[in-house]
Amino acid sequence: MSVTQVPAFTKVPSRSDTPDTFSADVDSFLSEIPDRAFASNQQAQEVNAAAEQVATQAAAVAEASAAFESGVNADRWAAGDYSDGDAVWSPTDGLTYRAKADFTSAIDPAADPANWHNLNPVAQAKDEMARLALVFAANF
């Protein structure tokens, strides 16, 4: 991502200059201040936007890390009460699932996608490929 660069002053007045040069340099210096202020404000907006993106990405990474850790430490599923975010592994397929809300579970997570989110993207991709193959076969 590129960030607006604040332009440098083309002339900076110096007390050692002759009066005519000093006067011309002051005029040039003062005329460039609005453009520098505009560029500085633009740069600040861009940096703030980048900081927001970084914060959003950091939150996503933290969430993914927490999901990974809870999935690694998941307990075997058993019928009972679960809280939003609880992770279990299914005795039916051995895959890890996360509860979508607080609820009482009586159905194995592998057979209950309404209440459980599959934490296994490879398994999800396999299921999606099987679904697409059926759609393709039915239409062609």
Side-chain angles (χ1 to χ4, degrees), residues 1 3 41-55:
M1 173 182 175
V3 176
N41 289 335
Q42 183 67 31
Q43 184 183 65
Q45 290 173 355
E46 292 165 359
V47 169
N48 288 336
E52 287 179 24
Q53 287 178 341
V54 168

Side-chain angles (χ1 to χ4, degrees), residues 9-13 22-34:
F9 285 113
T10 55
K11 301 275 186 175
V12 178
F22 180 81
S23 182
D25 288 352
V26 166
D27 289 342
S28 174
F29 181 84
L30 293 175
S31 71
E32 293 172 0
I33 290 175

Side-chain angles (χ1 to χ4, degrees), residues 77-82 103-109 112 115-116:
W77 174 84
D81 293 332
Y82 289 92
F103 73 107
T104 300
S105 178
I107 303 171
D108 184 284
D112 190 10
N115 291 309
W116 295 97

Side-chain angles (χ1 to χ4, degrees), residues 7 23 26 33 35 42-43 58 76 80 83 87-90 94-95 102 109 119 132:
S23 182
V26 166
I33 290 175
D35 289 341
Q42 183 67 31
Q43 184 183 65
R76 184 179 194 268
S83 298
V88 298
W89 60 270
S90 166
L95 299 177
D102 297 344
L119 295 179
L132 291 173

Side-chain angles (χ1 to χ4, degrees), residues 95-138:
L95 299 177
T96 307
Y97 297 84
R98 176 178 307 286
K100 293 180 177 180
D102 297 344
F103 73 107
T104 300
S105 178
I107 303 171
D108 184 284
D112 190 10
N115 291 309
W116 295 97
H117 174 70
N118 185 336
L119 295 179
N120 305 278
V122 172
Q124 289 173 325
K126 182 187 91 162
D127 293 344
E128 181 65 8
M129 292 301 290
R131 185 189 71 75
L132 291 173
L134 291 172
V135 170
F136 181 79

